[in-house]
Amino acid sequence: MVPLVAVVSGPRAQLFACLLRLGTQQVGPLQLHTGASHAARNHYEVLVLGGGSGGITMAARMKRKVGAENVAVVEPSERHFYQPIWTLVGAGAKQLSSSGRPTASVIPSGVEWIKARVTELNPDKNCIHTDDDEKISYRYLIIALGIQLDYEKIKGLPEGFAHPKIGSNYSVKTVEKTWKALQDFKEGNAIFTFPNTPVKCAGAPQKIMYLSEAYFRKTGKRSKANIIFNTALGAIFGVKKYADALQEIIRERNLTVNYKKNLIEVRADKQEAVFENLDKPGETQVISYEMLHVTPPMSPPDVLKTSPVSDAAGWVDVDKETLQHKRYPNVFGIGDCTNLPTSKTAAAVAAQSGILDRTISVIMKNQTPTKKYDGYTSCPLVTGYNRVILAEFDYKAEPLETFPFDQSKERLSMYLMKADLMPFLYWNMMLRGYWGGPAVLRKLFHLGMS
């Protein structure tokens, strides 16, 4: 594999590589956390709910701030996954095994791992309850519970995944079924869906469409495939610069995009998908498929939907600039479970983690937060097996690009970054609290241009 620095040549690339080397020198070897050396206490200085990307990242940062013995993470899952790579797993470009590691290996050393599920949040009493009937109190609470997949809201799912020809890159249980459906494709409709709810990584539903089209071309099946993207949205992408580039690809590759079409039922035994027309309530359409990729409806975790920390829609109600809760000053939120008006991605979590670290630091000193989150998020739009459009933007849906070139162009260098560099950054720097997004790189690159 050609290294990224060999593709993006020049002094700025060398600077980038140097920064990565410096970053990795700050972190020590991975330490396995067993959580069995001492019993869990019932009070912590900082309690983190969720052991996903936001939770582990903030636990690592808080460990350095208050000491490992004063931090705990509540997380029931035995394995932690780097989910952005599942797009490539579903297309056969990466192995599923490369995406997961034991949760014990990513919990910061010395931080308590409470292997339980949160059942209730009581911010008025500064405590939470777990499914093993434990009550845990805190001085500061960080909520990083992620987003919930609601396959069951589509009639015929999840049981329909027992049938062939159907998959979903959003679940560890179904992502390999996408690759199987792609390999088994013979002739007919290949359908890709986007639901009528917020989702994490909003670019992923169409990434697998572009990869599938490339696979069909590579295997001589393209002429037999009618590729359809049925989305509940009214546009292909929320940022015009990247939407224009994607529309050109859609036109060139003869892909069919239907807007305001929401998947409501899968008849897997008949290989039929039923869509509702959101512009004409009650009107439905049945389409037969040879391959179906489902992006499920998503929602806040059930424990948050009626919680006092959440807004009317069930998302954790935080200030969009500081990530501090709007009503409970010792409560904070990060990532997919919050109502931050930006795209829900791992890149957004990285940027948010640096801001939240600063916010909590000044709150602990009884000062007012001044560092503000600008809504930065990123979506590497995979458009083939060796091409990516790197979309980066802010709250205003304006491009907020890192590199000194037009990122709306398909590039091999950006694919290599997505496939190889980003997983490295995730496991070795972000989860250890040393990666707060590319803001510093952006400043350095653009200073170099001035």
Side-chain angles (χ1 to χ4, degrees), residues 12 44 130 134 140 156 205 226 236 241 271 273 281 296 310 320 334 361-362 365 371 373 381 406 440 445:
R12 295 185 186 88
Y44 294 89
T130 63
E134 291 294 325
Y140 301 100
N226 181 32
I236 195 66
K241 177 177 182 177
Q271 291 178 215
S310 301
K320 74 173 191 174
I334 186 171
S361 292
V362 298
K365 298 173 184 175
K371 188 73 172 176
Y373 176 50
L381 293 157
D406 184 359
V440 173
F445 281 135

Side-chain angles (χ1 to χ4, degrees), residues 87-257:
T87 285
L88 299 181
V89 173
K94 291 285 185 180
Q95 294 295 315
L96 180 60
S97 58
S98 72
S99 71
R101 296 184 183 181
T103 298
S105 73
V106 298
I107 299 278
S109 178
V111 167
E112 185 64 36
W113 175 20
I114 300 171
K115 197 184 302 182
R117 189 177 303 277
V118 180
T119 56
E120 182 185 354
L121 287 76
N122 191 340
D124 293 301
K125 294 185 177 179
N126 295 318
C127 69
I128 64 108
H129 296 267
T130 63
D131 60 356
D132 54 2
D133 295 324
E134 291 294 325
K135 175 183 175 182
I136 306 166
S137 61
Y138 56 82
R139 185 175 180 188
Y140 301 100
L141 179 70
I142 300 174
I143 306 172
L145 288 170
I147 196 168
Q148 179 173 291
L149 306 180
D150 295 327
Y151 285 104
E152 70 281 357
K153 289 185 179 178
I154 300 171
K155 186 178 179 181
L157 294 183
E159 61 272 17
F161 287 114
H163 293 264
K165 309 290 188 179
I166 177 175
S168 175
N169 290 353
Y170 277 89
S171 169
V172 67
K173 298 176 182 178
T174 58
V175 61
E176 290 181 307
K177 293 179 182 293
T178 303
W179 175 227
K180 184 70 166 62
L182 192 53
Q183 291 175 293
D184 291 346
F185 185 93
K186 293 181 174 60
E187 182 176 5
N189 293 325
I191 305 175
F192 305 85
T193 73
F194 191 111
N196 190 27
T197 67
V199 300
K200 56 182 172 182
C201 194
Q206 60 183 296
K207 295 177 194 179
I208 187 60
M209 171 181 66
Y210 303 126
L211 284 161
S212 297
E213 193 274 340
Y215 180 80
F216 294 149
R217 274 189 282 119
K218 186 170 65 173
T219 55
K221 298 177 181 177
R222 182 61 185 92
S223 62
K224 298 179 180 179
N226 181 32
I227 300 174
I228 302 169
F229 186 57
N230 273 9
T231 172
L233 300 179
I236 195 66
F237 201 75
V239 181
K240 186 179 186 304
K241 177 177 182 177
Y242 308 118
D244 290 346
L246 293 171
Q247 288 288 8
E248 184 64 19
I249 291 171
I250 288 166
R251 185 189 64 77
E252 289 176 352
R253 299 180 193 175
N254 193 28
L255 309 175
T256 299
V257 178

Side-chain angles (χ1 to χ4, degrees), residues 26 57-58 61 64 334 346-358 371 373-374 376 425 429-442:
Q26 296 182 78
T57 297
M58 290 311 302
R61 289 175 176 270
R64 294 197 293 270
I334 186 171
V349 170
Q352 291 163 21
S353 70
I355 300 297
L356 184 52
D357 193 348
R358 298 277 192 91
K371 188 73 172 176
Y373 176 50
D374 57 10
Y376 172 85
L425 284 176
M429 293 182 70
M430 179 175 162
L431 291 189
R432 300 181 187 188
Y434 291 107
W435 178 251
V440 173
L441 290 176
R442 191 182 309 120

Side-chain angles (χ1 to χ4, degrees), residues 49 118-124 128 141 143 145 301-312 314-317 325 327-328 331:
L49 306 185
V118 180
T119 56
E120 182 185 354
L121 287 76
N122 191 340
D124 293 301
I128 64 108
L141 179 70
I143 306 172
L145 288 170
D302 287 339
V303 69
L304 293 177
K305 285 174 180 168
T306 57
S307 171
V309 301
S310 301
D311 64 13
W315 307 103
V316 180
D317 195 15
H325 197 274
R327 297 187 301 281
Y328 301 101
V331 175

Side-chain angles (χ1 to χ4, degrees), residues 189 191 228 230 258 271-275 285-289:
N189 293 325
I191 305 175
I228 302 169
N230 273 9
N258 299 312
Q271 291 178 215
E272 292 178 345
V274 183
F275 294 87
Q285 180 185 18
V286 180
I287 308 176
S288 63
Y289 62 83

